[in-house]
Amino acid sequence: MNEWITTLISKYNYWGFIVLMMIGLYAMMVKKNFVKKIIGMNIFQTAIILFYVSIGAKKGATIPIILHGHGEETHIIHAAEYINPLPHVLMLTAIVVSVATLGVALALAIKVYSQYDTLEEDEINRKIRDQMTQIEQ
Amino acid sequence: MKILGFIIVFLCGILLIYHTADFPDWGNPVSPASTHVSPYYIEKALDDTAVPNIVTAVLADYRGYDTMFETTVIFCAGIACFFLLRITRRREPSVALYRHLPTGITLRIEKGGKEPGKSNVFKRIDSQWVPDDLIIKTTCRIVVPFVQIFALYVIAHGHHSPGGGFQGGVILGASIILFAISTDLRTSIDRMSERLGAFFSATGVFIYAGAGALCLILGASFLDYSALAPILNVDSVMARSHGILIVEIGVGLAVMAVMIWLYYNVSSAGRHDEGL
């Protein structure tokens, strides 16, 4: 029991991200509406961003900006005093890129809507099938 | 399909949660992610680049290639959105609404009617009628310059505090988008045209790649800013700090322009006549 609580405390962040990621995956797979699929994709991305940022955390460390960084005196910097900057760098760019890809996804959705007058996957498939049968006749 | 999808997602989640047992604990200082290259960054960033903010140093110096191509990805997203949506052929709207500013009366002009054109008395408004909201307009007009100054601070002070080109660029873009939402898309396009947006986004990427190429010309590796020392008249460590600022400005320009460009195209479905 005690061991189980230790596991829970040290790993619950990952579980949260996995739940979030699975919500996003479910939305992408099952939802029929394209905008809902795009929202699912964004939830998925958010889960990954949170996962990376939590990897960078260190107990008892501060943000990765060196204290008294522009003083004259030099002092020794210990890696344990500052959290890992690398995941932050990767996610910093990933957040902005995710906004840009969201824009492209919405542009595609607008294009699909202007072509088929709907964003529901079923109706679009039906319309495409109708067009194909018309061409065959 | 719903049940099948739920079963797949559930099994996938269970598998992932089962394997988190092998992951390092949260906040563990000796986890694999924090032991190989990251201690080097933390301990050497200040000596190598004179930048106290390690994230900025890693972003624009140690991993400069990565950031350069991320900027290119954003630029490509802007271009993709433009080519997908933009309709250059101007289609006249069937109904145009104008507001007579002194009296607040709204004119509805059917197709074929004579439009008042641009004047100080009549102002074109969106076809979905919006009230002339003085409070929102005035507040946004006051707030926008402060947002922009803050954005410039975030870009310029990214060496010493949380910030940098990406964050500052997004804030700059958000200020223009706020202006576009509080007035309307046409007013915003008059101030910050699409042409200017395209120019800025290309310029931003060009500044970044150009800074890298300049280092190459001066005999160092691509994006090795210490080669800029003779030009900037500083020592090689400070040259890396200044090089980071140069590329951050490029990133900020590109991100700002692309955010605005995306908003213009997505909000008006590429017609650039009526926004949200």
Side-chain angles (χ1 to χ4, degrees), chain B residues 61-231:
Chain B
D61 193 299
Y62 294 112
R63 299 179 71 89
Y65 271 106
D66 184 15
T67 314
M68 192 180 94
F69 287 107
E70 296 274 13
T71 317
T72 318
V73 166
I74 292 166
F75 177 60
C76 290
I79 290 187
C81 207
F82 172 78
F83 280 121
L84 277 171
L85 285 177
R86 188 76 175 102
I87 303 163
T88 45
R89 178 178 76 245
R90 185 169 289 277
R91 195 188 50 198
E92 284 304 312
S94 53
V95 176
L97 291 178
Y98 282 84
R99 176 177 286 130
H100 185 242
L101 291 175
T103 56
I105 294 170
T106 307
L107 291 178
R108 181 189 155 95
I109 296 166
E110 294 284 336
K111 198 169 191 174
K114 187 177 180 301
E115 294 188 10
K118 273 197 173 177
S119 68
N120 291 330
V121 186
F122 288 101
K123 189 175 180 299
R124 168 119 190 254
I125 55 176
D126 290 350
S127 59
Q128 275 167 335
W129 187 79
V130 279
D132 190 22
D133 208 327
L134 193 67
I135 294 172
I136 291 176
K137 272 184 188 168
T138 314
T139 312
C140 291
R141 206 175 62 215
I142 293 168
V143 163
V144 162
F146 288 104
V147 173
Q148 287 173 340
I149 288 172
F150 179 65
L152 295 178
Y153 162 77
V154 166
I155 294 177
H157 210 253
H159 288 45
H160 297 279
S161 65
F166 284 98
Q167 299 92 320
V170 168
I171 298 171
L172 264 181
S175 73
I176 304 275
I177 292 172
L178 178 69
F179 182 73
I181 291 172
S182 67
T183 56
D184 54 15
L185 194 65
R186 291 176 302 277
T187 320
S188 178
I189 287 175
D190 284 345
R191 297 280 177 91
M192 165 94 199
S193 69
E194 186 192 24
R195 213 174 276 261
L196 199 64
F199 176 73
F200 273 158
S201 55
T203 310
V205 178
F206 180 77
I207 288 174
Y208 203 136
L214 195 61
C215 302
L216 203 63
I217 291 167
L218 291 168
S221 315
F222 190 68
L223 289 173
D224 182 2
Y225 312 124
S226 53
L228 298 175
I231 295 180

Side-chain angles (χ1 to χ4, degrees), chain A residues 46-47 60 63 70 72 74 86 97 103 120:
Chain A
T46 310
I63 54 166
H70 31 260
E72 286 300 314
T74 51
L86 199 51
V97 169
E120 300 291 325

Side-chain angles (χ1 to χ4, degrees), chain A residues 11 14-15 59 64 66 70 84 97, chain B residues 24-25 27 33 38 52 70 160:
Chain A
K11 301 286 197 299
Y14 299 122
W15 300 359
K59 201 164 278 169
I66 291 163
H70 31 260
N84 189 353
V97 169
Chain B
D25 294 348
S38 112
E70 296 274 13
H160 297 279

Side-chain angles (χ1 to χ4, degrees), chain A residues 10-15 18 22 30 55 57 59 64-66 70 77 79 84 89 92-93 96-97 104 107 110-111, chain B residues 2 9 16 20 23-27 33 37-38 42-43 52 54-55 70 74 77 81 84-85 160 162 166-167 266:
Chain A
S10 59
K11 301 286 197 299
Y12 75 96
N13 56 329
Y14 299 122
W15 300 359
I18 287 165
M22 289 304 122
V30 175
I55 276 181
K59 201 164 278 169
I65 296 171
I66 291 163
H70 31 260
I77 300 153
N84 189 353
V89 172
L92 172 65
T93 51
V96 181
V97 169
V104 177
I110 290 171
K111 222 49 197 164
Chain B
K2 254 183 184 164
V9 165
L16 284 171
T20 53
F23 281 22
D25 294 348
W26 190 12
V37 73
S38 112
I42 293 169
E43 284 161 9
I54 309 166
V55 173
E70 296 274 13
I74 292 166
C81 207
L84 277 171
L85 285 177
H160 297 279
F166 284 98
Q167 299 92 320
V266 170

